[in-house]
Amino acid sequence: MKREFVVGVTGASGVIYARRLLEVLCERARVHIVISDTARQIAGIEGVDLTGFDAVYADNSNLAADIASGSFCCDGMAIVPCSMKTLAAVSNGFADNLITRAADVCLKERRPLLLLLREMPLSRIHLKNMLAADETGATVMVASPPFYHHPQTIDDLVDMVVARVLDHLGVRHDLGTRWSGYDA
């Protein structure tokens, strides 16, 4: 049986991370995609196309969608990128749209939920919301690529971040370079 994931895309810069995640994940699993209105605007500004994937697209206002129910079984959810507004909603149980409701369902059903934040600097409120999200069971990640693999392109940097998201979703991949130690 094919694995099944939900990907939420919210209004933070870094839609390229969502695009790359979808490219890989849609080849390996059934994917449900929910894109916020602000994410669509930012995708246009950043020149990133989020259409055309072999996936189930759902409208963010559709709280009656299958993924809004705890009876919908999936292997996890990633919100990539995750805006600070969405982080605040998730960490405080404010499920007013499909992305935050699906995230809330993952938390209550004890399914993996990854929040890939793309913001800096972080305010005290952001930090408190990150801690609250972690305490509720979400995995909080920041789009902070390593440099030990000597990246040559932006795509190299994106792949390293997306590789970590895939690792935490338990999805096998061949993106990026794994750390193999060094001679001290």
Side-chain angles (χ1 to χ4, degrees), residues 3 5 20-29 114 141 146 148 155-179:
R3 297 185 72 198
F5 295 97
R20 186 64 172 132
L21 176 63
L22 292 168
E23 287 171 357
V24 176
L25 206 52
C26 288
E27 291 178 358
R28 293 166 171 78
L114 289 96
M141 306 177 87
Y148 59 78
D155 289 341
D156 293 341
L157 296 171
V158 169
D159 279 356
M160 290 301 287
V161 171
V162 171
R164 298 297 293 147
V165 172
L166 291 166
D167 286 347
H168 283 267
L169 288 174
V171 175
R172 292 187 175 272
H173 62 85
D174 58 1
L175 294 184
T177 303
R178 296 202 181 271
W179 175 253

XYZ file of all heavy atoms in Angstrom, residues 3 5 20-29 114 141 146 148 155-179:
341
model
N 2.245 4.892 0.737
C 2.188 5.822 1.863
C 1.451 7.095 1.450
O 1.367 7.416 0.267
C 3.596 6.135 2.337
C 4.273 4.843 2.855
C 5.615 5.094 3.445
N 5.443 5.774 4.718
C 6.397 6.442 5.333
N 7.603 6.528 4.814
N 6.181 7.040 6.490
N 0.696 11.302 2.536
C 1.122 12.466 3.310
C 0.292 13.682 2.933
O -0.250 13.768 1.842
C 2.600 12.778 3.046
C 3.530 11.705 3.526
C 4.004 10.737 2.645
C 3.933 11.653 4.853
C 4.851 9.738 3.090
C 4.782 10.658 5.299
C 5.243 9.697 4.419
N 10.324 21.488 -4.090
C 11.259 20.347 -4.121
C 10.724 19.169 -3.325
O 10.837 18.020 -3.749
C 12.631 20.772 -3.603
C 13.671 19.687 -3.734
C 13.925 19.349 -5.206
N 15.040 18.446 -5.348
C 15.023 17.339 -6.095
N 13.937 17.027 -6.794
N 16.079 16.575 -6.166
N 10.121 19.448 -2.170
C 9.521 18.371 -1.377
C 8.448 17.659 -2.183
O 8.395 16.423 -2.215
C 8.931 18.923 -0.081
C 8.195 17.913 0.797
C 9.137 16.829 1.296
C 7.505 18.623 1.951
N 7.601 18.414 -2.866
C 6.535 17.816 -3.666
C 7.091 17.009 -4.826
O 6.556 15.942 -5.155
C 5.580 18.902 -4.160
C 4.751 19.571 -3.059
C 4.060 20.822 -3.587
C 3.756 18.590 -2.460
N 8.159 17.493 -5.461
C 8.773 16.736 -6.557
C 9.188 15.348 -6.097
O 8.961 14.358 -6.801
C 10.004 17.484 -7.095
C 9.684 18.699 -7.909
C 10.914 19.536 -8.249
O 12.044 19.212 -7.813
O 10.742 20.544 -8.964
N 9.779 15.265 -4.933
C 10.268 13.978 -4.426
C 9.131 13.155 -3.841
O 8.988 11.966 -4.155
C 11.382 14.198 -3.368
C 11.816 12.875 -2.760
C 12.568 14.929 -3.982
N 8.321 13.770 -3.011
C 7.282 13.036 -2.294
C 6.215 12.473 -3.227
O 5.752 11.341 -3.036
C 6.651 13.959 -1.248
C 6.016 13.333 -0.024
C 6.955 12.368 0.677
C 5.563 14.428 0.929
N 5.835 13.219 -4.252
C 4.803 12.744 -5.174
C 5.253 11.537 -5.988
O 4.410 10.790 -6.494
C 4.336 13.879 -6.094
S 3.322 15.111 -5.249
N 6.543 11.318 -6.098
C 7.056 10.123 -6.778
C 6.977 8.886 -5.894
O 6.987 7.764 -6.390
C 8.517 10.322 -7.178
C 8.749 11.316 -8.272
C 10.234 11.499 -8.590
O 11.081 10.871 -7.914
O 10.528 12.276 -9.499
N 6.903 9.093 -4.585
C 7.015 7.984 -3.643
C 5.754 7.715 -2.826
O 5.686 6.724 -2.103
C 8.168 8.257 -2.680
C 9.523 8.246 -3.348
C 10.584 8.855 -2.433
N 11.933 8.677 -2.939
C 12.490 9.379 -3.908
N 11.785 10.298 -4.527
N 13.728 9.149 -4.297
N 4.790 8.634 -2.879
C 3.619 8.507 -2.014
C 2.426 9.218 -2.631
O 2.569 9.982 -3.580
C 3.941 9.121 -0.642
N 5.539 18.062 10.778
C 6.770 18.840 10.665
C 6.445 20.259 10.239
O 5.684 20.465 9.295
C 7.694 18.204 9.615
C 8.301 16.899 10.079
C 7.482 15.753 9.569
C 9.704 16.797 9.618
N 11.355 22.583 12.605
C 12.587 22.641 11.828
C 12.733 24.055 11.277
O 11.735 24.725 11.051
C 12.545 21.639 10.671
C 12.231 20.215 11.095
S 12.113 19.081 9.703
C 13.826 18.640 9.551
N 23.063 23.003 5.870
C 24.472 22.882 6.240
C 25.363 23.235 5.042
O 24.893 23.313 3.911
C 24.603 21.404 6.596
C 23.611 20.741 5.696
C 22.454 21.714 5.600
N 28.729 21.702 4.910
C 29.829 20.737 4.870
C 29.923 20.007 3.542
O 30.965 19.461 3.199
C 29.732 19.729 6.023
C 28.463 18.916 6.063
C 28.254 17.826 5.218
C 27.457 19.228 6.969
C 27.094 17.081 5.264
C 26.290 18.493 7.023
C 26.117 17.416 6.170
O 24.954 16.680 6.218
N 19.927 25.071 -5.472
C 19.278 23.757 -5.442
C 19.982 22.807 -4.484
O 19.330 21.999 -3.807
C 19.220 23.142 -6.842
C 18.236 23.858 -7.749
O 17.345 24.582 -7.244
O 18.356 23.695 -8.983
N 21.305 22.872 -4.404
C 22.053 22.039 -3.451
C 21.638 22.360 -2.020
O 21.489 21.463 -1.183
C 23.560 22.260 -3.585
C 24.142 21.768 -4.895
O 23.491 20.945 -5.581
O 25.257 22.214 -5.237
N 21.463 23.637 -1.725
C 21.051 24.055 -0.385
C 19.616 23.613 -0.091
O 19.318 23.112 0.997
C 21.170 25.572 -0.246
C 22.584 26.144 -0.357
C 22.542 27.660 -0.425
C 23.445 25.678 0.810
N 18.736 23.784 -1.068
C 17.340 23.374 -0.911
C 17.260 21.873 -0.671
O 16.538 21.410 0.216
C 16.503 23.791 -2.147
C 15.123 23.144 -2.123
C 16.394 25.313 -2.225
N 18.011 21.100 -1.447
C 17.989 19.637 -1.289
C 18.396 19.203 0.111
O 17.826 18.248 0.656
C 18.893 18.963 -2.328
C 18.221 18.815 -3.683
O 17.029 19.160 -3.822
O 18.907 18.338 -4.619
N 19.368 19.869 0.703
C 19.810 19.479 2.042
C 18.715 19.711 3.084
O 18.548 18.911 4.001
C 21.090 20.222 2.428
C 22.311 19.759 1.642
S 22.687 17.990 1.821
C 23.331 17.967 3.493
N 17.958 20.781 2.946
C 16.859 21.045 3.875
C 15.722 20.058 3.634
O 15.186 19.461 4.574
C 16.373 22.508 3.750
C 15.084 22.734 4.538
C 17.469 23.468 4.215
N 15.356 19.862 2.378
C 14.274 18.933 2.046
C 14.648 17.506 2.458
O 13.798 16.741 2.916
C 13.908 19.031 0.550
C 12.951 17.925 0.138
C 13.295 20.401 0.260
N 15.911 17.159 2.353
C 16.377 15.828 2.786
C 16.059 15.595 4.259
O 15.618 14.506 4.648
C 17.875 15.684 2.536
N 16.254 16.604 5.071
C 15.956 16.468 6.505
C 14.454 16.318 6.744
O 14.033 15.554 7.615
C 16.513 17.664 7.283
C 18.019 17.791 7.209
C 18.751 16.599 7.824
N 18.505 16.598 9.252
C 18.413 15.502 10.000
N 18.559 14.316 9.473
N 18.173 15.592 11.290
N 13.638 17.035 5.971
C 12.188 16.883 6.096
C 11.796 15.450 5.750
O 11.055 14.789 6.482
C 11.438 17.904 5.208
C 9.938 17.612 5.184
C 11.714 19.336 5.676
N 12.316 14.948 4.635
C 12.017 13.578 4.219
C 12.488 12.566 5.257
O 11.787 11.589 5.543
C 12.661 13.292 2.854
C 12.052 14.053 1.676
C 12.969 13.972 0.457
C 10.659 13.551 1.351
N 13.670 12.793 5.824
C 14.170 11.903 6.880
C 13.173 11.810 8.025
O 12.866 10.722 8.512
C 15.504 12.411 7.446
C 16.692 12.190 6.510
O 16.561 11.437 5.523
O 17.752 12.790 6.788
N 12.655 12.950 8.450
C 11.737 12.965 9.589
C 10.346 12.439 9.245
O 9.604 12.044 10.151
C 11.669 14.370 10.196
C 12.864 14.667 11.030
N 12.908 14.454 12.383
C 14.097 15.129 10.695
C 14.091 14.775 12.851
N 14.833 15.192 11.842
N 10.016 12.400 7.974
C 8.768 11.755 7.546
C 8.966 10.252 7.324
O 8.013 9.532 7.064
C 8.239 12.399 6.261
C 7.661 13.801 6.387
C 7.309 14.355 5.005
C 6.439 13.823 7.302
N 10.217 9.810 7.401
C 10.514 8.394 7.190
C 10.476 7.988 5.733
O 10.183 6.838 5.415
N 10.793 8.922 4.841
C 10.764 8.656 3.403
C 12.194 8.502 2.894
O 13.017 9.401 3.053
C 10.050 9.813 2.649
C 10.122 9.598 1.141
C 8.612 9.942 3.118
N 12.476 7.376 2.287
C 13.806 7.139 1.712
C 14.033 8.055 0.520
O 13.123 8.303 -0.259
C 13.957 5.691 1.280
C 13.982 4.721 2.432
C 14.320 3.319 1.920
N 14.472 2.407 3.004
C 15.620 2.197 3.654
N 16.703 2.847 3.303
N 15.685 1.324 4.636
N 15.267 8.515 0.391
C 15.604 9.434 -0.694
C 17.112 9.412 -0.915
O 17.855 8.809 -0.144
C 15.151 10.858 -0.333
C 15.843 11.384 0.888
N 17.066 11.991 0.836
C 15.482 11.354 2.186
C 17.438 12.327 2.065
N 16.493 11.947 2.895
N 17.508 10.068 -1.993
C 18.944 10.183 -2.276
C 19.354 11.653 -2.435
O 20.319 11.972 -3.117
C 19.326 9.370 -3.512
C 18.544 9.786 -4.757
O 17.723 10.719 -4.676
O 18.770 9.178 -5.808
N 18.629 12.538 -1.769
C 18.956 13.958 -1.832
C 20.132 14.263 -0.909
O 20.246 13.694 0.166
C 17.775 14.821 -1.376
C 16.519 14.815 -2.214
C 15.510 15.807 -1.633
C 16.806 15.175 -3.643
N 20.937 15.185 -1.325
C 21.975 15.698 -0.447
C 23.061 14.705 -0.109
O 23.112 13.588 -0.607
N 23.937 15.157 0.753
C 25.076 14.364 1.210
C 24.966 14.194 2.711
O 24.754 15.157 3.431
C 26.397 15.116 0.889
O 26.443 15.383 -0.512
C 27.600 14.307 1.308
N 25.126 12.972 3.175
C 25.067 12.733 4.613
C 26.441 12.974 5.229
O 27.466 12.709 4.605
C 24.594 11.318 4.898
C 23.171 11.108 4.398
C 22.490 9.959 5.105
N 21.157 9.776 4.594
C 20.080 10.381 5.071
N 20.182 11.208 6.079
N 18.889 10.145 4.547
N 26.439 13.485 6.438
C 27.664 13.722 7.182
C 28.342 12.386 7.447
O 27.704 11.428 7.882
C 27.352 14.444 8.496
C 28.546 14.631 9.372
C 28.834 13.973 10.522
C 29.605 15.555 9.168
N 30.012 14.418 11.058
C 30.514 15.403 10.234
C 29.898 16.493 8.176
C 31.674 16.150 10.342
C 31.054 17.235 8.298
C 31.919 17.055 9.363
